[in-house]
Amino acid sequence: MEPIPMRKPLIAGNWKMNLDRHAAIVLANAIAEAAEKIGNVEIAICPPFVYLDVVRQALGNSVVALGAQNMSPEPSGAFTGEISAGMLKDVGCKYVILGHSERRHLLGETDAFINTKVHAAIAAGLLPVVCVGELLADREAGKTAAVVGAQLEGSCAGLSPEQMAEVVMAYEPVWAIGTGKVASPEQAEEVHLALRKMISDRYNSQTAERVRIQYGGSVKPSNAAELLSQPNIDGALVGGASLRAEDFLGIVAGVK
Ligand code: PEP
C-alpha cells in the first residue's frame, strides 16, 4: 500500500468584502514577500472577485495561492452578476471557498446548492474549501456533530474518494465567526476528529487521512499556535485577522 502523504497545513485569508484595490495589492505584496521564507505551510489569500486579477499580478511567481470566496455552479450563460469556476481558473485561482456560513445564513445557500458548486469547482480544476459549522443553539442542544455531519454529507455528496481527498474542509462554528469568541483547542479538535471519522466511515481511512480540515472563527496570532498544534487541525481559514499582514503572518507562524 502506498504511504499516505503528510497533510500540509493551509492558512487561508478570507478578505470578504473588504479593502480597496490599492490596499489589496499592498497586502498581497507583503504576504508574498514573507512567504518566500516559509516552507512548512501553504498560504492562500481570497480577495473579492474584482481584485483577483490585480492580486494575481502582485503575487507574481510567489508560492502564495489565490482563492475566490464563492462561484456559480453554472459554467456560462445568462446568469447576470455570477462568476463561473472556469473564470476563476482563468484568472489564476487554485481554491474557492464554498458554503461559507455568511452565504448559508445570510443568502440561504443550502447543502444541495453548495454540492452543485463543489462538483463544478472540481470539474474546472479548482480545489473547494467547503465550510461547515454549527450555530450556538445547535451546540447548546448537543447537536454539533449531527449538524456538521449533515453539512458534510450534503455538500460533498457524490464525490469519489479521490475527489474527496482533494477537498479542504473548514470547520467554522458560526458563533465564533467575527465575534472574537474562539472555540477552545479541545472543542475544535473534538469536531475535527469527528469530521475525519465521518469521512473515514463514508469513504475509507486513507481518504480521511488526506483531507485537510481547517479551523475558522476568530483565529488570531495569540490563539493560533495552540489551535494549530491539535492533531486534526490542518490550518486555518482566517477572516478579520487576514486583513493585516502582521496578524495574518503571525497566524502562519503559529504552524510548528
Ligand atoms: C471567516 O469568515 O471565515 C472567519 C473565520 O472570520 P473571522 O476570522 O473574522 O472570525
Side-chain angles (χ1 to χ4, degrees):
M1 200 195 299
E2 285 199 14
I4 298 164
M6 288 269 292
R7 297 187 298 270
K8 189 168 190 175
L10 170 65
I11 308 289
N14 173 11
W15 294 358
K16 308 194 185 185
M17 198 170 71
N18 291 301
L19 307 179
D20 60 18
R21 189 174 183 277
H22 177 71
I25 294 169
V26 170
L27 182 54
N29 280 332
I31 294 167
E33 196 186 321
E36 275 179 42
K37 296 165 214 113
I38 299 165
N40 59 337
V41 46
E42 192 180 353
I43 302 171
I45 50 179
C46 306
F49 286 135
V50 290
Y51 303 139
L52 283 169
D53 206 18
V54 286
V55 166
R56 172 75 276 159
Q57 289 168 41
L59 290 176
N61 293 327
S62 162
V63 292
V64 176
L66 190 66
Q69 301 172 18
N70 179 41
M71 54 166 252
S72 166
E74 302 295 339
S76 63
F79 300 98
T80 303
E82 293 295 302
I83 305 284
S84 73
M87 290 169 180
L88 297 181
K89 191 77 187 151
D90 191 27
V91 83
C93 285
K94 176 174 181 184
Y95 293 101
V96 58
I97 300 170
L98 297 176
H100 189 278
S101 81
E102 284 147 20
R103 301 201 65 85
R104 287 178 183 272
H105 297 289
L106 301 176
L107 299 164
E109 289 198 5
T110 62
D111 288 320
F113 185 51
I114 295 160
N115 183 241
T116 62
K117 299 189 193 196
V118 169
H119 282 274
I122 292 172
L126 293 168
L127 297 180
V129 176
V130 179
C131 304
V132 299
E134 83 287 3
L135 298 167
L136 185 57
D138 299 324
R139 176 162 281 271
E140 288 174 346
K143 292 187 187 153
T144 299
V147 168
V148 299
Q151 290 171 337
L152 163 66
E153 188 88 13
S155 305
C156 295
L159 297 185
S160 69
E162 276 310 310
Q163 290 172 327
M164 186 66 218
E166 296 296 317
V167 166
V168 177
M169 299 292 309
Y171 167 56
E172 301 205 300
V174 179
W175 49 271
I177 296 180
T179 59
K181 287 185 197 149
V182 62
S184 70
E186 295 74 25
Q187 283 175 321
E189 171 62 18
E190 186 184 16
V191 181
H192 284 234
L193 182 62
L195 283 167
R196 203 174 303 286
K197 168 106 179 32
M198 289 172 207
I199 298 167
S200 179
D201 291 346
R202 209 167 126 207
Y203 292 92
N204 52 59
S205 59
Q206 286 90 336
T207 303
E209 285 305 317
R210 283 174 59 192
V211 174
R212 290 180 292 178
I213 309 176
Q214 300 177 299
Y215 169 78
S218 299
V219 179
K220 333 184 246 279
S222 59
N223 58 29
E226 224 191 329
L227 285 159
L228 295 167
S229 68
Q230 300 300 309
N232 286 287
I233 299 186
D234 310 310
L237 182 54
V238 186
S242 71
L243 298 173
R244 288 190 60 225
E246 198 187 328
D247 290 343
F248 187 62
L249 293 167
I251 293 168
V252 172
V255 179
K256 293 289 174 271

